[in-house]
Amino acid sequence: MSIQEKNFWATTVDSPAVATSHELPDSVDVAVIGAGYCGLSAARTLAKRGVNVAVLEAETFGWGASSRNGGMALTGMKLPVPTLMKRYGRETVRKMYAASLESIDCVEQIVGEENIDCDFSRCGHLEVACKQSHFDGYEESAALIQREFNHELRIIPKKDLRGEIGSDIYFGGMVDEISAGLNPARYVAGLAHAARRAGACLHDRTRVEKVEAASVNGARQFLVQTSRGAVTAREVILASGAYTTKATPALRRKIIPIGSYIIATEVLPADLARELSPRNRMIYDSKHFLYYYRLTPDNRMLFGGRAAFFPETESTVRQSAEILRRGMIGVYPQLRDAKVEFVWGGTLDFTLDVMPHAGKLDGMYFAAGFAGHGVAAATWLGAKLAGLICGDPYNIPFDGIPFSAAPIGLRSGNTWALPLAGAWYKILDFFT
Ligand SMILES: Cc1cc2nc3c(=O)[nH]c(=O)nc-3n(C[C@H](O)[C@H](O)[C@H](O)COP(=O)(O)OP(=O)(O)OC[C@H]3O[C@@H](n4cnc5c(N)ncnc54)[C@H](O)[C@@H]3O)c2cc1C
């Protein structure tokens, strides 16, 4: 079979996964822009609590990063804990770390309650050290996390690494048993079904073109203009992630859209798959320009990385296949003859401070900046925003931290400087 420029996960989902609602309503309590984990989780929670909610999706449900990712529901955040402690202080970081653990519980609970057939498994994650200095830092991180958050990480010295990974290129590893793996496309399709069952209206191929403040009978509302007509909403949730458009400029200015690419091999023999990943972990390495990889439930090696920094296009996807294949063979020489059957790309929503953010912008609720940690965090923050709208007490640790706009040249719609950022991270990887 030759290589297909296609998302492997999408081939595991019935199509169309979820039927669209027909008529766009004139008015709703809440309009959600974007049908990924964040928007659909928010819609599910709102509908379950009796709120009249419509999800407006420009493409198909789950079309964005939510159906294309590595399917790793990881503990912690993108930045290392010592960096977070210096930046935000102990109490805030404690809440953030607790939120990261709660996020995975939230996914597990939804999968269980809604019977979502997405191969959710608490298989744990393995971070592998590309340099001795990175491995030396693991001891410090694990001790800090144990002390501050009472959460246990296990250090794996190089001599024991073969019990975790069939590769000899790393200097050691660190395991967190709490992280989970899932099939992202089936999970997002399941979330859409769940939101629909709860009573949310889901509208695909409905692109939001403009959001304006409006006054209806003296009450503040939003007029949401879409490609299929206008909807008036009491509240709006922006859940458009890396694909945020100029319809919501205040959020768009803050998003740095960065491409990430994945290949998947042919189905591997069971004994080879076991050798590559004996404990079936979600694996990533310690570089800035990192590789992340895992087995799929049918024993393909799924291998991802930032092969190009630009958001996905036909040409970046095509070029990524060979770059990632070389990376994969560097880690696993055993895969030299394995056929690569799929390659695809997606866009990550980074922010200047590499942190998730949530709260209100221009009077609208939003959550964004998940980078490579959105499977669990976007689900959790979607549900949290819904809770705030329903009157739950404020308890989101990612609100209120400084949230700067991205520099021109890196921000959505104007990304000419992204290759410079990519080059900078490569230099950092060389020297640190
Ligand atoms: C290749 C790749 C690998 C990744 N791997 C992992 C991983 O292993 N683990 C992890 O935790 N995270 C990973 N991530 C990140 C994770 O997928 C995202 O953080 C998460 O899916 C974000 O969900 P979301 O709902 O915020 O956005 P999305 O799923 O991107 O959904 C946003 C939706 O909004 C819609 N939209 C945008 N603008 C409009 C508009 N104007 N009108 C209507 N609709 C609009 C888009 O069409 C899109 O469908 C990865 C991402 C990529 C791209």
Side-chain angles (χ1 to χ4, degrees), residues 361-379:
L361 271 176
D362 280 352
M364 294 176 275
Y365 290 90
F366 80 96
F370 301 114
H373 275 57
V375 171
T379 305

Side-chain angles (χ1 to χ4, degrees), residues 255-257 352 406-421:
I255 304 283
I256 304 174
L352 191 59
I408 290 171
L410 291 182
R411 59 173 72 159
S412 224
N414 188 352
T415 53
W416 55 267
L418 272 184
L420 299 178

